[in-house]
Amino acid sequence: MKILKKEFYSRDARIVAKDLLGKYLVRNYDGNILIGKIVETEAYIGKIDKACHAYNNKRTPKVMPLYGEPGIAYIYSIYGMYKCFNVITGEYDNPQGVLIRAVEPINGVEIISQNRFNKAYEKLNKKEIINLTSGPAKLCIAFKLEKDLNNIDLFHEKLYLSEGISEKVEIIETTRIGIDYAEEAKEFNWRYYIKDNKYISKK
């Protein structure tokens, strides 16, 4: 599979967020290749976005990956127990990135199922199958995306994004989720998803 290059990420987060739909998230975990098609994303831009961790030029150890080179991973904790996986976009020292909200499992479903529910894929019910990777924390559990991968570049075998299978998709643009604190930014239509894909977190 063709790994996405730094040039792909060196653009506005909103453009990258849309272009990531249909691309593949690839994770090499204990010799197993886990693949998910990206079906839902959100863009964050520090300079103008009160929902971004780096809004108002905030600089703490946690958020510093946002200021890094395009094409690195930003993995952080929420609620003290769950993780979210983002890719850094734009240019160095201009904080912006894309949250990967949901993927559709493509390869390694047995490992993905064990990681998420600790049972075989064939034993999952319909609801559990949909819930394998239909949210940012869910996909991090399923793909074993932990804090040890924070701040790594996405150009090597451990974790990378690649071109997917070429297909025509209709992209829905709407507001982001869980950012009611962000004042006017909560109304930005910076969440993007593939219409009618069953793995999206919310329509």
Side-chain angles (χ1 to χ4, degrees):
M1 285 178 287
K2 186 178 179 182
I3 298 176
L4 300 180
K5 296 182 178 180
K6 186 175 181 178
E7 291 74 22
F8 177 90
Y9 302 102
S10 301
R11 300 176 294 159
D12 185 284
R14 292 162 292 191
I15 296 173
V16 176
K18 286 186 277 190
D19 284 353
L20 279 172
L21 296 176
K23 301 296 192 292
Y24 284 176
L25 165 64
V26 183
R27 170 79 163 110
N28 187 334
Y29 171 66
D30 283 351
N32 300 290
I33 304 299
L34 312 181
I35 302 176
K37 181 172 75 174
I38 298 171
V39 298
E40 184 180 3
T41 60
E42 288 181 349
Y44 291 85
I45 300 177
K47 287 185 177 180
I48 58 174
D49 181 9
K50 292 178 181 175
C52 181
H53 292 169
Y55 177 68
N56 202 24
N57 202 38
K58 180 180 179 181
R59 293 175 184 261
T60 65
K62 174 184 174 179
V63 307
M64 286 311 293
L66 277 163
Y67 292 89
E69 297 285 348
I72 66 172
Y74 174 37
I75 299 177
Y76 59 86
S77 298
I78 56 172
Y79 310 124
M81 56 190 299
Y82 299 116
K83 309 296 187 300
C84 288
F85 168 58
N86 304 251
V87 298
I88 300 307
T89 64
E91 57 190 14
Y92 178 77
D93 209 39
N94 180 6
Q96 53 179 288
V98 176
L99 170 67
I100 308 302
R101 277 204 63 89
V103 303
E104 175 184 337
I106 298 294
N107 191 69
V109 292
E110 284 299 333
I111 304 298
I112 288 170
S113 178
Q114 288 291 341
N115 289 343
R116 269 286 283 137
F117 295 114
N118 198 31
K119 58 183 177 180
Y121 183 80
E122 64 181 12
K123 296 185 180 297
L124 300 183
N125 59 41
K126 288 183 179 180
K127 184 177 180 181
E128 288 173 327
I129 289 173
I130 297 300
N131 279 316
L132 277 171
T133 51
S134 59
K138 297 174 187 178
L139 75 87
C140 282
I141 295 169
F143 280 73
K144 288 291 184 179
L145 302 179
E146 298 289 346
K147 293 290 286 292
D148 63 307
L149 297 171
N150 183 43
N151 212 28
I152 68 166
D153 69 66
L154 298 170
F155 311 118
H156 56 74
E157 63 177 15
K158 267 190 181 180
L159 177 65
Y160 61 89
L161 306 185
S162 75
E163 295 287 351
I165 297 174
S166 181
E167 59 179 326
K168 262 194 171 182
V169 296
E170 183 176 348
I171 296 175
I172 303 298
E173 302 183 17
T174 187
T175 54
R176 295 169 294 178
I177 296 171
I179 58 165
D180 289 343
Y181 58 86
E183 299 179 0
E184 73 280 356
K186 70 182 182 182
E187 304 299 331
F188 295 172
N189 287 328
W190 290 2
R191 180 166 69 95
Y192 313 94
Y193 65 84
I194 296 176
K195 184 180 180 182
D196 296 330
N197 187 280
K198 65 182 181 180
Y199 287 95
I200 62 172
S201 62
K202 183 179 179 181
K203 289 187 177 180

